[in-house]
Amino acid sequence: HVQLVESGGASVQPGGSLRLSCAASTITDSTYCMGWFRQVPGKRREAVAVLYADGTTTFYADSVKGRFTVSRDSAGTTVYLEMFSLKPEDTGTYTCTAGTGRCEYGINNYWGQGTQVTV
């Protein structure tokens, strides 16, 4: 079982920046993809950014391309989401995810508890 613990959520002004972190326990399999989903009340949870185990293959939602960057540490157990030029529509609960399939599909993934970002 993989445990994911997020940190870094905060309230920021539009145009500001924020960095989220997610530490994964028990991940020793380098084939895991890791990333972030976002959810706002009344809307379906959506994939925001995913980084695959090769360290270069990524997925980004169209709404965040060019503004958000997903990365992992060298051990592959911590994933980051750097968010720039934040907009009010970026507000939501950001949840870390990890999986062995296509992470952006959110199927059979592991999930963190979520961290709130308010712009």
Side-chain angles (χ1 to χ4, degrees):
H1 180 71
V2 175
Q3 290 184 315
L4 303 169
V5 179
E6 304 99 334
S7 62
S11 294
V12 296
Q13 293 293 318
S17 302
L18 203 58
R19 187 195 200 203
L20 305 182
S21 300
C22 171
S25 65
T26 72
I27 281 185
T28 57
D29 185 344
S30 61
T31 63
Y32 276 83
C33 54
M34 295 183 72
W36 298 87
F37 276 64
R38 173 173 69 196
Q39 187 166 28
V40 297
K43 291 190 176 181
R44 184 179 178 181
R45 183 166 57 184
E46 63 170 346
V48 173
V50 169
L51 179 62
Y52 282 84
D54 63 6
T56 57
T57 303
T58 57
F59 164 87
Y60 289 99
D62 288 343
S63 60
V64 307
K65 285 179 180 177
R67 300 188 299 119
F68 290 14
T69 301
V70 61
S71 60
R72 290 169 79 160
D73 67 349
S74 57
T77 59
T78 300
V79 65
Y80 305 97
L81 183 66
E82 294 188 276
M83 304 182 288
F84 302 96
S85 301
L86 283 161
K87 304 175 181 180
E89 51 263 44
D90 294 319
T91 295
T93 300
Y94 284 71
T95 303
C96 179
T97 191
T100 55
R102 295 291 296 271
C103 271
E104 65 266 32
Y105 294 164
I107 299 173
N108 295 325
N109 286 12
Y110 294 101
W111 301 96
Q113 293 298 309
T115 186
Q116 179 67 30
V117 173
T118 303
V119 183

